[in-house]
Amino acid sequence: MNHENNASGSVNRARLYQLVLFPLNNGATNVYYVLVLSYIATFGANVLSLGTLFASVMVTGMRVFDAFTDPIIGALMDRTNGKFGKFRPFMVIGNAIMAVSVLVLYGLTPLIPAGMTAARYAAFVALYAVWVIGYTFQTSCTRSGQTVLTNDPKQRPLFTIFNTVGSLLGMGAMQFFAPILAKRFEDGYSSAEFFSTLAPVGIIISVVLTVLAIIGIWEKDNPCYFGIGGDKAEKIRVREYLQIIRENNPMQRLMVAGAGCKLALSIATNTTVLCMLYGCMMGDYDGLYLPMMVLGYAFSVPFFLLTVRTSQKKGQKASLMRYVSVALVCYVGVLALLLLWGRGDAFTLSIVNENGLALNLYTVLFIVFFGVGYGAYYATADMPIPMVADCSDYETYRSGKYIPGIMGTLFSLVDKLVSSLSATVVGIAVGLIGLDILPTQYSPYTEGMNMVVIVLFCIIPMLAWAATLLAMKNYSLTGERMKEIQAVNAVRKDAVAKGMSIDEAMQTWQTIDQVPEQFR
């Protein structure tokens, strides 16, 4: 794969190793996505005895704090341009903050005596708040760093597949190790020892992935790749966020689409939901969870390839809409199957029993509908991330400002808000059927739990995908449109490098028809 560093050309291409390694930053943060967002409500309620509703609602309520930290950190990133680059410092600092806060949260807070309830509440909230800051530092780099990695319309879709692979390495590793570790402890996911053991495992995985990601962006984290103004640092006031959102229509639509994709993924893969489905309803969590997870990942592989191929040919918008539609259609089948559950042994998931293979027609149909649907939506779940780079380039084209930090944290704010909303939705849903604590793999079935699973596992994700399709219908940054935007940005950058002011360059070249042939 060619590498091109040419200030006077419209195409900035990345080397293959850069495309492979930098997306591992998403894998590094997804380790914490599972380690914290998938388990913190269970930890707070079952280990610290803080109460199911508080532990769940607090995760969402803390996003009010995020509303202040995200724009501040995004603006700080856009002003950063030191010897260590613009993005690498935030990756290192963010990972360090998360590691320390998680170690203290999961390792030390259970040591607070049960009678000191106020101290447990205070430590839980404070440490979670610190973790949020670190998470913002590092996650914003995945989105904003793409702008310097490559602007080649053929390469950017590849970021999706490498980003998904990185996500799998992080999220998949944690989802694989967690149930194995849980078996070692009598109380499973409700055991304090489970969390104190899982935390160091996750931290080590995340640190390794972060180091690899830093290697991937090292060469590109350089002022010559920053927008059209060279080493000029943008000083955007926080209040200008609203103006940017209002005038950047593609970003508005992408935020809705990203929220829809993330909501579907975060609720349908929530540990409590899966415990209720495979354990409480189907009665065989240990025999179903890992096989279904592996099957889902196996089905996602061909969809990764299909999404990239479609993106390269027809643009990322077309690819996202096509495969979200596939997921929506398949989950109609999953919904129908779950509505039939409980009408006899033939309507229960079964893969193996004490006599060996025990597949029934219900299970085969579930595997087909769930596998294809999961593969499609897992392949598209992170697709909005490389599209943030398109919206950032569009903002440079529209206003002349290179503000990847702000664009990344705008998207990150929605991403995290929706991710945390899943914990609250699950907590409220469980509370509605009269449970005081979140169910684990060992919990008995409770009346009404099947309807909770149907709503959380199927209906909410389907509504989220419908919102994604509606938002993307009039998304304007098609593949052809991005080629035009990159060409205009390139000729402006060349003019600025030769001494023209940014304002003059913006006024001189506004459409593709004005761009010389060598920049197209």
Side-chain angles (χ1 to χ4, degrees), residues 199-503:
V201 173
I203 289 169
I204 291 171
I205 295 172
S206 183
V207 168
V208 171
L209 294 175
T210 299
V211 170
L212 293 173
I214 289 173
I215 294 172
I217 201 173
W218 193 284
E219 182 183 347
K220 295 285 189 172
D221 197 3
N222 186 296
C224 68
Y225 298 104
F226 297 168
I228 63 175
D231 58 1
K232 177 180 177 292
E234 297 288 354
K235 295 183 178 181
I236 304 296
R237 297 179 179 87
V238 173
R239 65 173 178 268
E240 294 181 60
Y241 265 62
L242 293 177
Q243 180 182 353
I244 293 169
I245 296 175
R246 185 171 60 251
E247 298 183 7
N248 194 318
N249 183 262
M251 189 63 181
Q252 295 173 22
R253 295 181 175 278
L254 187 63
M255 289 167 72
V256 174
C261 290
K262 180 62 72 172
L263 182 64
L265 179 66
S266 58
I267 290 184
T269 60
N270 183 276
T271 301
T272 299
V273 176
L274 297 182
C275 283
M276 287 191 291
L277 172 59
Y278 297 130
C280 305
M281 286 177 59
M282 303 301 173
D284 188 16
Y285 180 84
D286 293 336
L288 291 171
Y289 172 75
L290 281 178
M292 287 299 178
M293 184 187 76
V294 172
L295 281 169
Y297 288 158
F299 272 99
S300 67
V301 172
F303 281 102
F304 294 153
L305 303 176
L306 288 170
T307 55
V308 171
R309 186 173 180 82
T310 304
S311 295
Q312 290 178 326
K313 285 188 171 184
K314 299 185 177 181
Q316 296 184 95
K317 169 188 173 179
S319 183
L320 178 61
M321 293 187 70
R322 174 178 296 181
Y323 299 108
V324 165
S325 298
V326 171
L328 183 58
V329 170
C330 286
Y331 263 64
V332 172
V334 175
L335 175 61
L337 290 171
L338 290 181
L339 288 171
L340 291 172
W341 173 81
R343 302 190 179 188
D345 293 340
F347 297 96
T348 301
L349 291 179
S350 175
I351 296 179
V352 294
N353 58 26
E354 62 274 10
N355 298 319
L357 190 66
L359 279 173
N360 55 26
L361 178 61
Y362 185 90
T363 305
V364 172
L365 291 174
F366 187 89
I367 288 173
V368 172
F369 287 125
F370 166 76
V372 175
Y374 184 93
Y377 86 69
Y378 196 89
T380 59
D382 286 336
M383 191 176 292
I385 292 179
M387 297 171 74
V388 174
D390 289 346
C391 290
S392 182
D393 289 343
Y394 171 76
E395 182 62 29
T396 301
Y397 164 81
R398 187 191 69 80
S399 66
K401 296 174 181 177
Y402 177 64
I403 48 174
I406 286 180
M407 302 301 289
T409 51
L410 278 174
F411 189 84
S412 178
L413 176 61
V414 174
D415 179 278
K416 290 184 296 181
L417 175 62
V418 170
S419 298
S420 63
L421 181 63
S422 65
T424 298
V425 171
V426 172
I428 292 174
V430 168
L432 289 176
I433 58 174
L435 295 179
D436 295 326
I437 62 173
L438 296 177
T440 68
Q441 70 271 45
Y442 303 121
S443 300
Y445 177 78
T446 299
E447 186 67 30
M449 197 177 280
N450 60 324
M451 292 309 301
V452 171
V453 170
I454 287 169
V455 170
L456 297 179
F457 192 74
C458 292
I459 294 178
I460 290 180
M462 291 167 71
L463 292 174
W465 292 324
T468 296
L469 293 173
L470 287 173
M472 294 306 295
K473 183 177 180 181
N474 293 316
Y475 180 78
S476 62
L477 300 184
T478 61
E480 286 302 314
R481 178 59 174 154
M482 284 310 303
K483 291 178 183 178
E484 296 176 2
I485 288 172
Q486 300 293 5
V488 173
N489 282 346
V491 72
R492 288 172 176 172
K493 182 173 183 176
D494 183 61
V496 171
K498 292 177 180 177
M500 184 180 288
S501 71
I502 292 180
D503 289 340

